[in-house]
Amino acid sequence: MIKITYITADGKEQPVEVEPGMSLMEVATLRGIDGIVAECGGGCSCATCHVYVDEPWHKTFEDPAPEEDALIEFLDDARPTSRLSCQLLLGAEHDGLCVRTPPTQG
């Protein structure tokens, strides 16, 4: 099991323990994490699962595909560490990962 902490825009921490292999979005929807809407169900077509990945964790994931970059580009609250949680698969190396949800999804 690995521990992931989601932090909402208002600062509420929501830690969860999960098996590696799921996406951050899947974990969030299964565990009822505030701020992860996931309207498209993980199809990388809506950007409602937008998160900020805390440094240094940002570089532990593969680079975003062009489709993900295009969606993030149009977000008003995008940051250099913005990612779509549906595209972030969790591995054992992500134990302790912390991600934050933007205020627009709260």
Side-chain angles (χ1 to χ4, degrees), residues 50-68:
H50 175 214
V51 294
Y52 306 121
V53 179
D54 278 6
E55 292 287 354
W57 299 103
H58 192 260
K59 301 211 184 305
T60 65
F61 293 101
E62 291 186 19
D63 290 338
E67 299 83 11
E68 182 183 359

Side-chain angles (χ1 to χ4, degrees), residues 4 9 12 15 19 38 40 43 62 70 72 84 94 96 102 104:
I4 308 297
K12 179 181 171 190
E19 290 288 338
C40 74
E62 291 186 19
I72 291 171
L84 300 184
H94 297 115
T104 55

